[in-house]
Amino acid sequence: QVKSKIMSRESRMRATINQKLTEMGERERLKEILRARLTECGWKDQMKAHCKEVIKEKGLEHVTVDDLVVEITPKGRALVPDSVKKDLLHRIRGFLAQHAT
Amino acid sequence: MKMEDMPLSGPDNTRLEALAHDIYSELVEDACLGLCFEVHRAVKQGYFFLDETDQESMKEFEIVDQPGVDIFGQVYNQWKNKECECPNCKRLIAASRFAPHLEKCLGMGRNSSRIANRRLASSNNMSKSESDQEDNDDLNDNDWSYGAEKKTKKRKSDKSQNSPRRSKSLKHKNGELGSGVGAESYKYNYNTGISYETLGPDEVRSLLTTQCGVISEHTKKMCTRSQRCPQHTDEQRRAVRLFLLGPSAPTLPDADAVETDSFDIPDAQPLMSRLQWEDSDISPTDSASSKASTNHSDSRKPKKKKKPSLPLNSGGGGSGSGSLAGGGGSSSQSNISISTKKKRPKLSAPPISSIYDDLA
């Protein structure tokens, strides 16, 4: 029971934080920063090249969004450079430090 | 910029840290999805593969990375040193000078007709000058002296008339000089020569100290251009002086000799300032020395730059050195001017001493 209380407290806290992130526009800002960083470091081009392979494999006419998602997302997550990851985490922590209770 | 990024510690903070990671993962996934949608749309709309062409074209326009060549494979100064043979005059001209030369050579192009007209005009109107030679001494006082304006403005127009280059260098220094004077010269000054028969000996002498004075074969008139006018050689000038004044002819102002004081001081001003553009630190010294007595040794001292002739008498030397500096212009003129310019520094010492020996 205690655990569930703690858990719900935590999930409430999370919900609050997430809400704040969105309402204050911080989420959007972070998204933009991330996208810019990924383009800068060549991640986007890398992923696009991978897409080309997938498309050539599946055929131009028949490729679906799901095909791409399934192929791209895991690889994409893995290929994010460390510097970008660190930068994002730093910003998120900063936000949490300010706005978490 | 950032301090060392430590994860949050402590029990609460582990949760926060986990939360931070979760938020991060969410953001990354969002980015990936965004990319997928973008690519999928491009595929379905047909513009995904637009930046690729066939293999052959790709090879053809590949970036070149060789030394001495730009990324397109072109050589930078391939024709820098080449010479072209002019179809008109059959001379070999440097590539970069070829177009302007053709303009002059063929008589087409904006400037060449202007030059031709000016030359015709000046040769047609030499008779107008005769009556005005008596005004030589009055040039200082009389702004409206026909002769004064003729003389100085003629020289200015000489300097600035032939090539665009010349007038450009002038314009930097003296705004109105090139174009303004050119127009004026048309109005006031149509003569290039003076008839020596109408002049008294004093007038002849003073004339010869400031002007070229070489008598033209066709017209029997004396050249009113500067002492270093490119159309006549020093030999001719010496001969004329001998002819007109006898063996005791006064100095032929040569290389860096300074003869009489400048009596055309107001007229010398613009020319002095023109000189300054060429011999900036030299001209003030020269004006001092030329205003002193006929003292050629003084004038020789400040010869720092390669311009040997520094007499500032009535701007004669000024325009002379100016016209030499102009370069360009008609080929024969420029050849002569360049060659005399080169000769002068070397010959400066011997001829001057010989001329002064005549005096003594």
Side-chain angles (χ1 to χ4, degrees):
Chain A
Q1 256 202 351
V2 175
K3 263 193 186 171
S4 64
K5 277 188 190 165
I6 294 172
M7 283 314 289
S8 65
R9 203 193 314 149
E10 188 176 332
S11 53
R12 242 183 296 136
M13 193 249 305
R14 281 185 165 220
T16 318
I17 294 281
N18 278 321
Q19 194 183 2
K20 271 191 185 170
L21 259 180
T22 308
E23 282 173 355
M24 293 176 63
E26 190 62 21
R27 183 171 262 125
E28 274 307 309
R29 263 194 295 276
L30 288 171
K31 271 193 198 172
E32 280 311 309
I33 291 173
L34 178 61
R35 230 165 254 172
R37 286 295 161 83
L38 289 175
T39 311
E40 267 173 19
C41 71
W43 176 92
K44 190 174 177 183
D45 297 324
Q46 231 179 332
M47 288 294 111
K48 259 194 176 174
H50 189 56
C51 288
K52 277 185 193 168
E53 287 168 30
V54 173
I55 292 165
K56 280 175 185 159
E57 198 187 323
K58 303 274 178 174
L60 196 68
E61 299 292 316
H62 305 298
V63 66
T64 63
V65 179
D66 289 328
D67 289 334
L68 290 171
V69 167
V70 159
E71 295 288 332
I72 296 304
T73 311
K75 198 168 184 189
R77 261 191 244 123
L79 282 178
V80 174
D82 275 342
S83 54
V84 176
K85 184 171 181 178
K86 277 190 182 146
D87 185 29
L88 259 293
L89 281 173
H90 176 79
R91 289 175 196 261
I92 296 169
R93 281 189 208 114
F95 182 82
L96 292 176
Q98 265 192 304
H99 296 101
T101 43
Chain B
M1 190 174 81
K2 297 184 217 169
M3 54 183 202
E4 184 62 43
D5 208 20
M6 296 301 291
L8 305 168
S9 54
D12 270 338
N13 290 340
T14 44
R15 287 190 211 115
L16 280 178
E17 186 63 22
L19 179 56
H21 276 270
D22 283 344
I23 295 173
Y24 165 77
S25 301
E26 206 182 311
L27 288 171
V28 169
E29 185 148 345
D30 198 82
C32 294
L33 272 179
L35 180 67
C36 291
F37 289 141
E38 202 181 302
V39 166
H40 182 262
R41 184 168 200 273
V43 166
K44 294 302 172 185
Q45 295 284 321
Y47 59 83
F48 186 63
F49 285 112
L50 270 184
D51 55 348
E52 287 174 15
T53 51
D54 56 304
Q55 273 300 338
E56 284 155 25
S57 308
M58 299 269 271
K59 284 259 164 71
E60 211 180 314
F61 297 113
E62 227 171 333
I63 289 178
V64 176
D65 188 17
Q66 296 165 16
V69 145
D70 67 12
I71 61 171
F72 297 115
Q74 296 165 356
V75 186
Y76 162 59
N77 52 357
Q78 197 172 357
W79 289 290
K80 207 184 192 178
N81 301 324
K82 298 224 171 133
E83 292 182 335
C84 323
E85 189 201 333
C86 171
N88 213 26
C89 62
K90 307 293 179 208
R91 291 200 298 154
L92 285 173
I93 312 286
S96 57
R97 297 299 313 159
F98 189 55
H101 163 79
L102 259 190
E103 240 192 330
K104 304 287 184 298
C105 195
L106 293 172
M108 304 198 294
R110 279 202 295 168
N111 225 13
S112 33
S113 58
R114 226 177 277 161
I115 299 170
N117 283 340
R118 209 175 279 174
R119 286 206 201 126
L120 277 175
S122 50
S123 66
N124 277 342
N125 290 292
M126 285 201 288
S127 50
K128 280 198 183 178
S129 69
E130 290 180 45
S131 53
D132 290 307
Q133 280 319 300
E134 301 88 309
D135 287 340
N136 274 354
D137 292 331
D138 294 336
L139 290 173
N140 279 350
D141 312 333
N142 193 0
D143 280 338
W144 178 240
S145 157
Y146 197 80
E149 283 172 14
K150 259 186 327 197
K151 226 184 278 179
T152 52
K153 282 176 184 156
K154 176 58 181 131
R155 285 193 208 106
K156 285 178 199 173
S157 77
D158 274 354
K159 184 174 174 189
S160 65
Q161 72 183 10
N162 280 341
S163 86
R165 236 189 248 171
R166 288 183 187 176
S167 57
K168 260 187 220 166
S169 68
L170 288 179
K171 271 174 190 167
H172 286 314
K173 201 56 196 170
N174 246 338
E176 22 78 39
L177 198 57
S179 49
V181 170
E184 283 174 326
S185 75
Y186 261 119
K187 283 187 237 162
Y188 306 133
N189 176 17
Y190 296 111
N191 72 312
T192 33
I194 293 155
S195 173
Y196 60 89
E197 289 147 346
T198 58
L199 301 177
D202 282 349
E203 282 149 359
V204 169
R205 202 169 296 136
S206 54
L207 211 127
L208 284 176
T209 51
T210 57
Q211 297 172 24
C212 170
V214 172
I215 297 175
S216 159
E217 284 281 86
H218 335 282
T219 65
K220 306 296 177 204
K221 301 231 166 110
M222 300 165 65
C223 174
T224 51
R225 296 175 96 164
S226 79
Q227 290 287 356
R228 304 179 71 212
C229 111
Q231 276 176 341
H232 303 114
T233 66
D234 285 352
E235 280 304 314
Q236 288 172 301
R237 286 188 264 274
R238 228 171 279 147
V240 151
R241 278 155 182 76
L242 270 171
F243 168 65
L244 288 176
L245 305 165
S248 59
T251 70
L252 174 73
D254 204 337
D256 54 5
V258 169
E259 62 294 62
T260 60
D261 311 347
S262 124
F263 51 77
D264 287 347
I265 294 172
D267 303 316
Q269 283 312 323
L271 293 152
M272 270 167 56
S273 61
R274 219 179 341 132
L275 262 189
Q276 280 168 4
W277 132 258
E278 291 151 347
D279 310 321
S280 45
D281 46 347
I282 295 180
S283 45
T285 356
D286 274 337
S287 62
S289 67
S290 69
K291 276 166 190 166
S293 57
T294 322
N295 201 343
H296 43 282
S297 57
D298 276 347
S299 72
R300 262 187 251 180
K301 280 180 208 162
K303 187 173 33 171
K304 298 167 203 164
K305 296 194 184 173
K306 60 178 186 246
K307 281 270 171 319
S309 137
L310 308 167
L312 282 191
N313 56 320
S314 75
S319 74
S321 54
S323 67
L324 290 178
S330 70
S331 51
S332 58
Q333 277 193 353
S334 62
N335 282 344
I336 293 173
S337 67
I338 289 168
S339 57
T340 51
K341 186 161 84 164
K342 281 184 188 155
K343 281 183 203 157
R344 283 211 175 129
K346 296 171 194 165
L347 295 175
S348 60
I352 290 171
S353 51
S354 65
I355 290 163
Y356 294 133
D357 289 342
D358 286 340
L359 264 182

